[in-house]
Amino acid sequence: MGIVNVTPDSFFPGSRRATEAEAVEAAGAMIEAGADILDIGGESTRPGSDPVSPEEEMRRVVPVIEAIPRERGIVISVDTRKARVAQAAIAAGADIVNDVSGLRDDPELARVVAESGVPVVLMHMQGTPKTMQDRPHYSDTVADIISVLGERIAVAREAGVAQDRIIVDPGIGFGKTVADNLRILKAVGRFRAELGAPVLIGLSRKSFIGNVLGGEHAPLRVEQRLAGTLAAHAWAALGGADILRVHDVAETVQLRTMLEAIKTVE
């Protein structure tokens, strides 16, 4: 899943696309590099970020979704917490709704997803993007996240979303400490086993990688985190992750190809 941010403030400057033309060009490059899914977002959810209005979010994402070439069978995901944005994006051609709030922030979004029949990604987040890194705490990181995701699955099912339309995301970096993120990665397989849903992992270039590699007092900058990202992606893939949400599509496709070659050699 390649990340296309139509935003001025996403945490990785290299992922920001200021105009529709820039976003469509980036999407085309990701398709050429081998992306299976493109995740189009119009609102940054980095730590400390403020929300944008549904109107602004729609202005950013809908034209991009409409303009992305579909002849290669690319799947389009819309990264939104808002029912109105999701509805407009689905009408424009989006195939998946990726909700970082797990259908928590907008009660109408569950209905939109159920009525449209598109798959939904339910992500775990402790708090909100504005507050989520203010001292996150868990009794048992993985068990607590699985419990909350189980509750969000129940909300989706009650609204009429089919079980086979649900994907879960443990929410690396969303209300998590460095150790919490590492615990999630170490236990990736538990999420699918205990929740009965495919697992999406979104860790690309996140701050915990910079902290692990550079130390708490001299963390690596986001531009320096590619090697650490690829290492963590390899671990996640080997651990059972079904979807990797990435900034660096070409490098991740190479990683996947190498893993498959090793796995399938006789």
Side-chain angles (χ1 to χ4, degrees):
M1 176 186 275
I3 300 166
V4 181
N5 290 321
V6 198
T7 58
D9 56 345
S10 293
F11 81 92
F12 177 31
S15 74
R16 300 171 188 168
R17 313 298 170 192
T19 66
E20 174 191 340
E22 288 181 10
V24 173
E25 181 181 5
M30 290 181 182
I31 293 170
E32 288 290 331
D36 303 298
I37 307 168
L38 295 178
D39 195 36
I40 316 301
E43 176 185 68
S44 173
T45 50
R46 62 178 171 76
S49 61
D50 292 310
V52 300
S53 69
E55 292 77 15
E56 175 62 17
E57 197 174 337
M58 286 187 283
R59 185 191 69 77
R60 293 175 180 180
V61 302
V62 169
V64 175
I65 292 169
E66 291 175 335
I68 290 173
R70 305 295 291 269
E71 63 270 13
R72 296 196 185 184
I74 194 76
V75 173
I76 302 297
S77 167
V78 61
D79 182 357
T80 187
R81 299 179 281 165
K82 304 180 183 74
R84 286 176 57 199
V85 177
Q87 200 159 32
I90 292 166
D95 307 291
I96 299 172
V97 172
N98 181 13
D99 179 11
V100 298
S101 81
L103 301 179
R104 185 187 62 186
D105 287 358
D106 186 342
E108 284 297 302
L109 185 50
R111 178 189 60 78
V112 169
V113 170
E115 291 179 356
S116 69
V118 302
V120 62
V121 179
L122 304 177
M123 197 193 80
H124 176 276
M125 173 170 52
Q126 191 174 88
T128 68
K130 187 75 173 176
T131 65
M132 62 190 180
Q133 290 307 111
D134 295 345
R135 291 195 239 173
H137 175 74
Y138 301 89
S139 298
D140 180 320
T141 303
V142 174
D144 290 357
I145 293 170
I146 287 172
S147 176
V148 172
L149 286 174
E151 293 169 2
R152 303 323 299 165
I153 289 173
V155 168
R157 299 285 285 118
E158 186 176 350
V161 180
Q163 178 66 40
D164 65 0
R165 304 276 89 185
I166 295 172
I167 301 160
V168 295
D169 177 353
I172 287 177
F174 283 78
K176 315 291 191 301
T177 65
V178 172
D180 290 329
N181 293 320
L182 296 174
R183 292 184 186 111
I184 290 167
L185 281 172
K186 193 171 183 179
V188 164
R190 283 185 59 186
F191 294 94
R192 174 183 265 283
E194 298 188 32
L195 293 168
V199 177
L200 183 153
I201 292 293
L203 59 81
S204 186
R205 293 182 180 264
K206 288 187 175 178
S207 61
F208 83 100
I209 296 169
N211 278 280
V212 169
L213 298 180
E216 181 182 353
H217 300 294
L220 297 189
R221 300 189 312 275
V222 64
E223 295 82 5
Q224 299 173 304
R225 299 173 192 164
L226 177 57
T229 294
L230 293 173
H233 279 157
W235 180 277
L238 292 171
D242 299 278
I243 302 170
L244 299 176
R245 184 178 181 273
V246 310
H247 295 99
D248 306 284
V249 171
E251 292 85 349
T252 310
V253 168
Q254 290 180 2
L255 180 151
R256 181 180 65 183
T257 302
M258 198 68 215
L259 291 179
E260 284 299 312
I262 297 167
K263 182 179 177 181
T264 58
V265 70
E266 296 181 358

